[in-house]
Amino acid sequence: MKHTVKSWIAAILFSLAAIFGLGYAEPARAFTLVELLVIPSEFLVANQLATVAVSNTTAGPNAHDIHLVATAVNDRGTVFKTEGNKANPITISPNQTFHFGIRAPSTGNLSFHTIIELDTANAAVGDVMGWDVNTGQLISIMPGQVTLPAVQDIPAVGLAAGQSALVKVTNVSANNLMPTISLFMENGRLIKTMTPTVAPNQTFTH
C-alpha cells in the first residue's frame, strides 16, 4: 500500500512537471520601432489592384533580417488592412522583398496610404505599385519616404537592354553636402554605393 501511494505521488509530480514543461514558451522577440517608412496615397478605381513592396537592403558582412509591421489606412483614417503585429512582426531576409496586395472593392474607388514600421534604420526601401484594371500592366509607382531618419527614396526605373539612366543630386544649401547614394535592384540587392562631395548650388551626376 505504501508503495502504491508513493507511485501515485511520483506520477502526479511527473505529470505536473510535464504540464509546466509543455506550457513554457520562449518569450517572443520584442519589436522596437526605429524607423517609419510612409508610402504616399494611391488612388484605385473599382476592382483595381495595388501591390505594396518592402525590400531588405542590408548586404555584405552587415546583412541581417529586418522586422516590420505594415498598416494600410484609407482616406477617412480607417485602418482596413494590417500585415504583422508588434507581437509577431513580418521578417524579411537580406536581399528579399515582402509583397502584399490591396484591391479596391467592386462597389467603388479606394484611396489609401501605407505606414511601414521597421525595427532597423537604413535597412529597407518600399513603394506601392498600381496595376491597370483591364490589362494588368504596371502603370504607377509611388516610393516611400523615411521619416526617421531623413532619407530620400528615388522611384524605381525599368531599363531595357543597353539603356542607361542618370542619378542627380543637387545641393540647395550653403554648405558642402556629402550624401550617401545607394543603388538597388528590384529584389533589394545592393548594386553600388557612392558618397560624393557636392558643393553649394552644384549638382552631382552619375
Side-chain angles (χ1 to χ4, degrees):
M1 186 67 179
K2 290 181 180 179
H3 177 73
T4 303
V5 171
K6 289 181 179 179
S7 298
W8 274 103
I9 293 174
I12 292 171
L13 292 175
F14 177 79
S15 298
L16 289 173
I19 291 171
F20 282 115
L22 291 173
Y24 175 77
E26 189 72 21
R29 181 186 184 278
F31 179 88
T32 302
L33 174 62
V34 174
E35 184 173 273
L36 204 61
L37 178 64
V38 179
I39 300 178
S41 294
E42 178 81 0
F43 178 81
L44 304 176
V45 299
N47 284 323
Q48 188 179 2
L49 175 68
T51 303
V52 177
V54 182
S55 298
N56 181 343
T57 59
T58 63
N62 296 321
H64 59 273
D65 290 350
I66 63 173
H67 304 85
L68 67 84
V69 177
T71 305
V73 184
N74 65 24
D75 55 3
R76 296 184 299 276
T78 303
V79 174
F80 66 91
K81 184 167 187 175
T82 59
E83 294 287 342
N85 54 61
K86 298 294 177 64
N88 187 27
I90 302 296
T91 300
I92 309 179
S93 302
N95 296 322
Q96 297 299 312
T97 300
F98 170 71
H99 300 87
F100 67 93
I102 294 176
R103 186 182 295 276
S106 59
T107 54
N109 303 330
L110 172 65
S111 178
F112 73 96
H113 65 275
T114 311
I115 301 170
I116 309 295
E117 299 175 73
L118 298 158
D119 69 344
T120 307
N122 301 318
V125 294
D127 55 40
V128 58
M129 296 169 283
W131 307 90
D132 188 276
V133 69
N134 296 313
T135 65
Q137 294 182 331
L138 179 64
I139 56 175
S140 68
I141 299 178
M142 295 291 291
Q145 297 179 346
V146 173
T147 59
L148 301 170
V151 174
Q152 182 177 1
D153 187 9
I154 298 175
V157 175
L159 300 178
Q163 189 177 7
S164 61
L166 292 177
V167 176
K168 294 184 178 182
V169 177
T170 301
N171 183 357
V172 295
S173 72
N175 303 306
N176 284 343
L177 176 70
M178 293 185 64
T180 298
I181 304 171
S182 299
L183 306 179
F184 298 92
M185 296 284 288
E186 185 180 2
N187 63 4
R189 183 172 66 85
L190 179 65
I191 302 173
K192 188 174 185 178
T193 297
M194 302 162 282
T195 308
T197 298
V198 187
N201 298 319
Q202 299 297 310
T203 296
F204 169 78
T205 302
H206 175 79

